[in-house]
Protein backbone atom coordinates (compact mmCIF):
# COMPACT_ATOMS: atom_id res chain seq x y z
CA UNK A 1 0.00 0.00 0.00
CA UNK A 2 1.54 3.29 -1.14
CA UNK A 3 1.74 5.87 1.66
CA UNK A 4 1.82 8.99 -0.52
CA UNK A 5 -1.85 8.88 -1.61
CA UNK A 6 -2.83 8.77 2.06
CA UNK A 7 -0.44 11.63 2.84
CA UNK A 8 -2.00 13.75 0.13
CA UNK A 9 -5.54 12.91 1.21
CA UNK A 10 -4.61 14.20 4.67
CA UNK A 11 -2.91 17.26 3.15
CA UNK A 12 -6.00 18.13 1.10
CA UNK A 13 -8.20 17.64 4.17
CA UNK A 14 -5.94 20.08 6.05
CA UNK A 15 -6.14 22.61 3.22
CA UNK A 16 -9.94 22.49 3.07
CA UNK A 17 -10.16 22.72 6.86
CA UNK A 18 -7.80 25.69 6.84
CA UNK A 19 -9.98 27.37 4.22
CA UNK A 20 -13.16 26.84 6.24
CA UNK A 21 -11.56 28.19 9.41
CA UNK A 22 -9.86 31.22 7.87
CA UNK A 23 -12.16 32.17 5.01
CA UNK A 24 -15.11 31.18 7.18
CA UNK A 25 -14.89 34.20 9.42
CA UNK A 26 -14.44 36.76 6.65
CA UNK A 27 -17.35 35.27 4.68
CA UNK A 28 -19.39 35.59 7.85
CA UNK A 29 -18.30 39.18 8.36
CA UNK A 30 -19.53 39.96 4.84
CA UNK A 31 -22.95 38.53 5.72
CA UNK A 32 -23.05 40.34 9.07
CA UNK A 33 -22.47 43.64 7.27
CA UNK A 34 -25.92 43.31 5.69
CA UNK A 35 -28.15 42.40 8.62
CA UNK A 36 -26.26 43.14 11.87
CA UNK A 37 -26.21 46.93 11.60
CA UNK A 38 -27.31 49.91 9.53
CA UNK A 39 -24.54 52.14 10.80
CA UNK A 40 -21.96 53.07 8.18
CA UNK A 41 -19.24 53.41 10.80
CA UNK A 42 -19.99 49.94 12.20
CA UNK A 43 -19.88 48.45 8.71
CA UNK A 44 -16.51 50.05 8.12
CA UNK A 45 -15.28 48.65 11.42
CA UNK A 46 -16.36 45.18 10.28
CA UNK A 47 -14.71 45.57 6.91
CA UNK A 48 -11.48 46.78 8.46
CA UNK A 49 -11.25 43.70 10.70
CA UNK A 50 -10.84 41.50 7.62
CA UNK A 51 -9.21 44.07 5.34
CA UNK A 52 -5.59 42.90 5.80
CA UNK A 53 -6.32 39.16 5.56
CA UNK A 54 -9.36 38.32 3.42
CA UNK A 55 -7.51 37.92 0.12
CA UNK A 56 -4.78 35.83 1.75
CA UNK A 57 -7.41 33.50 3.17
CA UNK A 58 -8.66 32.73 -0.34
CA UNK A 59 -5.25 31.24 -1.17
CA UNK A 60 -6.29 28.16 0.82
CA UNK A 61 -9.17 27.55 -1.62
CA UNK A 62 -6.89 27.82 -4.64
CA UNK A 63 -4.28 25.57 -3.05
CA UNK A 64 -6.86 22.94 -2.08
CA UNK A 65 -8.24 22.84 -5.63
CA UNK A 66 -4.75 22.68 -7.14
CA UNK A 67 -3.73 19.87 -4.79
CA UNK A 68 -6.81 17.87 -5.78
CA UNK A 69 -5.98 18.39 -9.47
CA UNK A 70 -2.36 17.28 -9.08
CA UNK A 71 -2.70 14.48 -6.53
CA UNK A 72 -6.07 12.97 -7.50
CA UNK A 73 -6.91 14.07 -11.08
CA UNK A 74 -9.84 11.66 -11.38
CA UNK A 75 -11.40 13.09 -8.21
CA UNK A 76 -10.90 16.63 -9.45
CA UNK A 77 -12.31 15.87 -12.91
CA UNK A 78 -15.41 14.05 -11.68
CA UNK A 79 -16.23 16.47 -8.88
CA UNK A 80 -15.66 19.71 -10.79
CA UNK A 81 -17.45 18.55 -13.94
CA UNK A 82 -20.44 17.17 -12.04
CA UNK A 83 -20.64 20.33 -9.91
CA UNK A 84 -19.99 22.71 -12.79
CA UNK A 85 -23.11 24.78 -12.04
CA UNK A 86 -22.63 25.41 -8.29
CA UNK A 87 -18.89 25.96 -8.65
CA UNK A 88 -19.48 28.52 -11.40
CA UNK A 89 -21.99 30.27 -9.15
CA UNK A 90 -19.40 30.20 -6.35
CA UNK A 91 -16.83 31.77 -8.68
CA UNK A 92 -19.27 34.57 -9.52
CA UNK A 93 -19.83 35.07 -5.79
CA UNK A 94 -16.08 35.31 -5.16
CA UNK A 95 -15.69 37.90 -7.92
CA UNK A 96 -18.66 40.01 -6.80
CA UNK A 97 -17.50 39.90 -3.19
CA UNK A 98 -13.93 40.91 -4.04
CA UNK A 99 -15.10 43.76 -6.27
CA UNK A 100 -17.46 44.92 -3.52
CA UNK A 101 -14.69 45.04 -0.93
CA UNK A 102 -12.43 47.04 -3.24
CA UNK A 103 -15.09 49.35 -4.75
CA UNK A 104 -17.30 50.09 -1.75
CA UNK A 105 -15.36 53.16 -0.64
CA UNK A 106 -14.62 54.60 -4.08
CA UNK A 107 -17.70 56.84 -4.36
CA UNK A 108 -19.22 58.55 -1.34
CA UNK A 109 -22.95 58.20 -1.89
CA UNK A 110 -25.45 56.23 0.15
CA UNK A 111 -26.76 54.34 -2.89
CA UNK A 112 -23.25 53.28 -3.95
CA UNK A 113 -22.28 52.06 -0.48
CA UNK A 114 -25.58 50.21 0.01
CA UNK A 115 -25.28 48.45 -3.33
CA UNK A 116 -21.76 47.19 -2.68
CA UNK A 117 -22.60 46.24 0.90
CA UNK A 118 -25.30 43.96 -0.46
CA UNK A 119 -22.89 42.57 -3.07
CA UNK A 120 -20.38 41.73 -0.34
CA UNK A 121 -23.07 40.08 1.78
CA UNK A 122 -24.73 38.14 -1.04
CA UNK A 123 -21.39 37.16 -2.55
CA UNK A 124 -20.24 35.83 0.83
CA UNK A 125 -23.51 33.91 1.27
CA UNK A 126 -23.29 32.36 -2.22
CA UNK A 127 -19.66 31.29 -1.76
CA UNK A 128 -20.29 29.75 1.66
CA UNK A 129 -23.38 27.86 0.48
CA UNK A 130 -21.87 26.54 -2.76
CA UNK A 131 -18.59 25.45 -1.18
CA UNK A 132 -20.50 23.74 1.61
CA UNK A 133 -22.71 21.97 -0.92
CA UNK A 134 -19.68 20.77 -2.90
CA UNK A 135 -17.90 19.42 0.16
CA UNK A 136 -21.04 17.73 1.44
CA UNK A 137 -21.57 15.99 -1.90
CA UNK A 138 -17.99 14.76 -2.13
CA UNK A 139 -18.44 13.18 1.30
CA UNK A 140 -21.92 11.70 0.77
CA UNK A 141 -21.90 10.86 -2.94
CA UNK A 142 -22.80 11.93 -6.47
CA UNK A 143 -24.34 10.00 -9.39
CA UNK A 144 -21.19 9.05 -11.34
CA UNK A 145 -20.66 6.03 -13.58
CA UNK A 146 -17.66 3.76 -14.06
CA UNK A 147 -15.83 6.49 -16.03
CA UNK A 148 -16.48 9.10 -13.36
CA UNK A 149 -18.99 10.89 -15.58
CA UNK A 150 -22.19 12.45 -14.27
CA UNK A 151 -25.39 10.47 -14.64
CA UNK A 152 -28.35 12.82 -14.97
CA UNK A 153 -28.97 16.49 -15.73
CA UNK A 154 -27.00 19.60 -14.69
CA UNK A 155 -29.00 20.00 -11.45
CA UNK A 156 -28.78 16.38 -10.30
CA UNK A 157 -26.46 17.59 -7.55
CA UNK A 158 -29.22 19.64 -5.88
CA UNK A 159 -30.12 17.17 -3.15
CA UNK A 160 -30.75 17.18 0.58
CA UNK A 161 -27.04 16.62 1.42
CA UNK A 162 -26.11 19.58 -0.80
CA UNK A 163 -28.56 21.88 0.98
CA UNK A 164 -27.43 20.54 4.35
CA UNK A 165 -23.77 21.17 3.54
CA UNK A 166 -24.52 24.64 2.24
CA UNK A 167 -26.45 25.56 5.39
CA UNK A 168 -23.69 24.04 7.52
CA UNK A 169 -20.97 26.28 6.11
CA UNK A 170 -23.23 29.36 6.12
CA UNK A 171 -24.15 28.75 9.77
CA UNK A 172 -20.57 28.07 10.81
CA UNK A 173 -19.35 31.18 8.98
CA UNK A 174 -21.92 33.37 10.76
CA UNK A 175 -21.01 31.98 14.17
CA UNK A 176 -17.25 31.87 13.60
CA UNK A 177 -17.28 35.46 12.34
CA UNK A 178 -19.28 36.61 15.37
CA UNK A 179 -16.60 35.32 17.72
CA UNK A 180 -13.93 36.80 15.42
CA UNK A 181 -15.60 40.23 15.58
CA UNK A 182 -15.76 39.85 19.34
CA UNK A 183 -11.97 39.59 19.33
CA UNK A 184 -11.13 42.09 16.61
CA UNK A 185 -13.73 44.87 16.95
CA UNK A 186 -14.82 47.18 19.71
CA UNK A 187 -17.88 49.23 20.51
CA UNK A 188 -21.35 48.32 19.19
CA UNK A 189 -19.96 45.77 16.73
CA UNK A 190 -18.32 43.84 19.55
CA UNK A 191 -21.47 43.88 21.67
CA UNK A 192 -23.77 42.70 18.89
CA UNK A 193 -21.34 39.98 17.82
CA UNK A 194 -21.12 38.66 21.36
CA UNK A 195 -24.90 38.59 21.70
CA UNK A 196 -25.28 36.80 18.37
CA UNK A 197 -22.81 34.07 19.36
CA UNK A 198 -24.44 33.58 22.74
CA UNK A 199 -28.00 33.27 21.39
CA UNK A 200 -27.65 31.66 17.96
CA UNK A 201 -24.80 29.19 18.40
CA UNK A 202 -26.96 26.01 18.58
CA UNK A 203 -28.88 26.97 15.43
CA UNK A 204 -25.70 27.84 13.53
CA UNK A 205 -23.86 24.60 14.30
CA UNK A 206 -26.81 22.19 14.00
CA UNK A 207 -26.50 21.60 10.19
CA UNK A 208 -22.78 20.91 10.47
CA UNK A 209 -23.38 18.43 13.29
CA UNK A 210 -26.03 16.61 11.23
CA UNK A 211 -23.68 16.53 8.23
CA UNK A 212 -20.84 14.99 10.23
CA UNK A 213 -23.08 12.31 11.74
CA UNK A 214 -24.66 11.61 8.32
CA UNK A 215 -21.21 10.79 6.89
CA UNK A 216 -20.47 8.35 9.72
CA UNK A 217 -23.80 6.55 9.32
CA UNK A 218 -23.47 6.40 5.54
CA UNK A 219 -19.93 5.03 5.50
CA UNK A 220 -19.68 3.15 8.79
CA UNK A 221 -17.50 5.69 10.54
CA UNK A 222 -14.29 4.53 12.19
CA UNK A 223 -13.41 4.89 15.86
CA UNK A 224 -11.16 7.81 14.92
CA UNK A 225 -14.01 9.60 13.14
CA UNK A 226 -16.41 9.18 16.07
CA UNK A 227 -13.67 10.40 18.42
CA UNK A 228 -13.42 13.57 16.36
CA UNK A 229 -17.19 14.02 16.61
CA UNK A 230 -17.06 13.75 20.41
CA UNK A 231 -14.24 16.32 20.48
CA UNK A 232 -16.25 18.62 18.18
CA UNK A 233 -19.27 18.43 20.49
CA UNK A 234 -17.13 19.19 23.54
CA UNK A 235 -15.50 22.14 21.78
CA UNK A 236 -18.92 23.51 20.74
CA UNK A 237 -20.29 23.25 24.27
CA UNK A 238 -17.24 24.99 25.74
CA UNK A 239 -17.45 27.68 23.05
CA UNK A 240 -21.14 28.30 23.74
CA UNK A 241 -20.62 28.54 27.50
CA UNK A 242 -17.75 30.97 26.94
CA UNK A 243 -19.87 33.05 24.54
CA UNK A 244 -22.66 33.34 27.11
CA UNK A 245 -20.14 34.62 29.65
CA UNK A 246 -18.55 36.96 27.07
CA UNK A 247 -15.19 35.20 27.28
CA UNK A 248 -14.39 36.11 23.70
CA UNK A 249 -11.06 34.34 23.29
CA UNK A 250 -12.37 31.07 24.68
CA UNK A 251 -15.52 31.31 22.56
CA UNK A 252 -13.44 31.79 19.42
CA UNK A 253 -11.20 28.84 20.28
CA UNK A 254 -14.18 26.67 21.16
CA UNK A 255 -16.09 27.21 17.93
CA UNK A 256 -12.89 27.06 15.87
CA UNK A 257 -12.25 23.72 17.56
CA UNK A 258 -15.74 22.62 16.56
CA UNK A 259 -14.94 23.47 12.94
CA UNK A 260 -11.56 21.74 13.11
CA UNK A 261 -12.75 18.50 14.70
CA UNK A 262 -15.98 18.48 12.69
CA UNK A 263 -14.08 18.68 9.41
CA UNK A 264 -11.65 16.04 10.64
CA UNK A 265 -14.59 13.75 11.46
CA UNK A 266 -16.04 14.17 7.96
CA UNK A 267 -12.77 13.45 6.16
CA UNK A 268 -11.94 10.54 8.49
CA UNK A 269 -15.45 9.14 8.01
CA UNK A 270 -15.26 9.18 4.21
CA UNK A 271 -11.73 7.69 4.00
CA UNK A 272 -10.63 5.93 1.80
CA UNK A 273 -13.43 7.25 -0.44
CA UNK A 274 -12.86 10.49 -2.28
CA UNK A 275 -16.16 10.61 -4.14
CA UNK A 276 -18.76 7.90 -3.48
CA UNK A 277 -21.04 6.96 -6.37
CA UNK A 278 -24.76 6.88 -5.65
CA UNK A 279 -25.22 4.77 -8.80
CA UNK A 280 -23.09 1.81 -7.74
CA UNK A 281 -20.54 1.47 -4.93
CA UNK A 282 -18.22 -0.23 -7.43
CA UNK A 283 -17.83 3.15 -9.15
CA UNK A 284 -16.56 4.92 -6.01
CA UNK A 285 -13.43 7.00 -6.43
CA UNK A 286 -10.98 6.15 -3.68
CA UNK A 287 -7.56 7.20 -2.51
CA UNK A 288 -6.14 4.22 -4.40
CA UNK A 289 -7.88 4.28 -7.77
CA UNK A 290 -7.91 8.07 -8.26
CA UNK A 291 -4.33 8.91 -7.24
CA UNK A 292 -1.66 10.19 -9.58
CA UNK A 293 1.58 8.28 -10.14
CA UNK A 294 4.21 7.83 -7.41
CA UNK A 295 6.70 10.10 -9.17
CA UNK A 296 4.24 13.02 -9.38
CA UNK A 297 3.19 12.59 -5.76
CA UNK A 298 6.85 12.42 -4.71
CA UNK A 299 7.73 15.68 -6.47
CA UNK A 300 4.63 17.33 -5.01
CA UNK A 301 5.62 16.21 -1.52
CA UNK A 302 9.08 17.77 -1.82
CA UNK A 303 7.69 21.05 -3.16
CA UNK A 304 4.98 21.19 -0.49
CA UNK A 305 7.44 20.40 2.30
CA UNK A 306 9.49 23.46 1.30
CA UNK A 307 6.78 25.95 0.32
CA UNK A 308 3.87 25.32 2.69
CA UNK A 309 5.75 26.14 5.92
CA UNK A 310 6.86 29.43 4.37
CA UNK A 311 3.29 30.31 3.38
CA UNK A 312 1.91 29.38 6.81
CA UNK A 313 4.60 31.38 8.62
CA UNK A 314 4.01 34.41 6.42
CA UNK A 315 0.26 34.30 6.98
CA UNK A 316 0.74 33.84 10.74
CA UNK A 317 3.05 36.85 10.72
CA UNK A 318 0.44 38.97 8.94
CA UNK A 319 -2.18 38.02 11.54
CA UNK A 320 0.25 38.94 14.29
CA UNK A 321 1.01 42.34 12.76
CA UNK A 322 -2.71 43.18 12.48
CA UNK A 323 -3.71 41.64 15.81
CA UNK A 324 -5.05 44.80 17.50
CA UNK A 325 -8.74 45.63 17.77
CA UNK A 326 -10.43 47.94 15.31
CA UNK A 327 -12.31 50.62 17.24
CA UNK A 328 -14.86 53.15 15.95
CA UNK A 329 -12.40 55.94 16.76
CA UNK A 330 -9.95 54.53 14.21
CA UNK A 331 -12.42 55.03 11.38
CA UNK A 332 -12.00 58.52 9.86
CA UNK A 333 -14.87 60.57 8.55
CA UNK A 334 -15.70 60.05 4.89
CA UNK A 335 -13.46 62.29 2.78
CA UNK A 336 -12.18 62.53 -0.77
CA UNK A 337 -8.57 61.51 -1.33
CA UNK A 338 -6.93 62.67 -4.56
CA UNK A 339 -4.52 60.25 -6.26
CA UNK A 340 -0.85 61.13 -5.89
CA UNK A 341 -0.61 61.95 -9.61
CA UNK A 342 -3.27 64.65 -9.28
CA UNK A 343 -1.83 66.04 -6.05
CA UNK A 344 1.54 66.52 -7.72
CA UNK A 345 0.15 68.86 -10.39
Amino acid sequence: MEPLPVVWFIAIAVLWTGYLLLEGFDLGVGMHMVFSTRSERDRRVMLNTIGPVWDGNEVWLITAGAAMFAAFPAWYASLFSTLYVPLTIALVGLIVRAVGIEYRGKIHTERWRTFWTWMIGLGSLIVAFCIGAALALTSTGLPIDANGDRVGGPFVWLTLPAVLGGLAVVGFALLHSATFLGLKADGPVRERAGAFAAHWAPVCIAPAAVWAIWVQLAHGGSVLAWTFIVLAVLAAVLGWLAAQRRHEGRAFIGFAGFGLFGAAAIFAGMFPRLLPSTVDAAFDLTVWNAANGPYTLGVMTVVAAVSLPVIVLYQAWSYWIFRKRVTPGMIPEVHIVLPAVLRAR
Side-chain angles (χ1 to χ4, degrees):
M1 185 172 64
E2 289 288 336
L4 286 181
V6 178
V7 169
W8 274 99
F9 174 80
I10 296 172
I12 291 170
V14 170
L15 290 170
W16 276 114
T17 303
Y19 174 74
L20 292 174
L21 291 178
L22 296 176
E23 183 81 341
F25 65 70
D26 62 53
L27 291 174
V29 168
M31 289 183 273
H32 277 288
M33 285 179 64
V34 173
F35 71 86
S36 288
T37 181
R38 294 185 179 180
S39 166
E40 172 60 17
R41 185 175 292 272
D42 289 350
R43 284 173 173 165
R44 291 174 66 191
V45 167
M46 290 182 183
L47 198 55
N48 276 270
T49 62
I50 62 172
V53 297
W54 70 269
D55 48 353
N57 292 340
E58 291 185 350
V59 172
W60 289 78
L61 174 63
I62 299 169
T63 308
M68 291 171 64
F69 170 77
F72 302 101
W75 181 20
Y76 176 92
S78 293
L79 182 68
F80 278 59
S81 60
T82 304
L83 300 181
Y84 186 84
V85 172
L87 292 177
T88 300
I89 295 172
L91 180 60
V92 172
L94 284 168
I95 294 171
V96 168
R97 174 174 170 268
V99 172
I101 291 173
E102 296 295 339
Y103 275 39
R104 188 179 183 276
K106 299 302 183 185
I107 297 178
H108 304 300
T109 66
E110 185 65 26
R111 179 178 295 180
W112 178 270
R113 288 192 296 265
T114 300
F115 174 79
W116 288 114
T117 297
W118 275 93
M119 290 301 100
I120 294 170
L122 291 176
S124 299
L125 175 64
I126 288 169
V127 172
F129 185 88
C130 290
I131 293 297
L135 291 176
L137 289 169
T138 198
S139 62
T140 58
L142 281 168
I144 56 174
D145 60 19
N147 295 321
D149 297 329
R150 183 187 69 215
V151 176
F155 292 95
V156 72
W157 58 272
L158 192 54
T159 60
L160 178 59
V163 175
L164 179 64
L167 293 176
V169 174
V170 169
F172 176 73
L174 286 171
L175 179 60
H176 191 39
S177 62
T179 57
F180 173 79
L181 288 171
L183 282 177
K184 284 291 294 176
D186 208 351
V189 172
R190 180 182 181 183
E191 293 302 317
R192 281 192 294 269
F196 181 91
H199 290 95
W200 292 98
V203 176
C204 289
I205 65 176
V210 173
W211 173 16
I213 294 173
W214 185 319
V215 171
Q216 312 315 315
L217 297 178
H219 302 312
S222 63
V223 174
L224 178 62
W226 282 108
T227 301
F228 283 139
I229 285 183
V230 172
L231 292 173
V233 171
L234 291 175
V237 171
L238 293 175
W240 190 26
L241 292 175
Q244 290 177 323
R245 297 169 184 171
R246 295 298 196 273
H247 294 163
E248 293 153 340
R250 296 176 188 175
F252 180 82
I253 292 172
F255 291 125
F258 169 79
L260 173 64
F261 291 123
I266 290 169
F267 280 104
M270 60 185 281
F271 181 83
R273 303 167 191 84
L274 299 175
L275 182 57
S277 172
T278 57
V279 175
D280 190 328
F283 303 154
D284 288 357
L285 295 179
T286 69
V287 169
W288 316 117
N289 64 20
N292 215 326
Y295 179 78
T296 300
L297 294 179
V299 173
M300 289 174 59
T301 302
V302 173
V303 173
V306 174
S307 60
L308 281 181
V310 176
I311 295 172
V312 171
L313 287 173
Y314 173 78
Q315 193 163 21
W317 175 79
S318 68
Y319 274 92
W320 175 255
I321 292 297
F322 296 102
R323 66 188 182 277
K324 293 184 178 179
R325 289 184 182 274
V326 179
T327 65
M330 294 179 179
I331 306 300
E333 296 295 331
V334 174
H335 59 285
I336 298 175
V337 179
L338 290 176
V341 175
L342 296 178
R343 292 200 303 268
R345 292 180 179 178

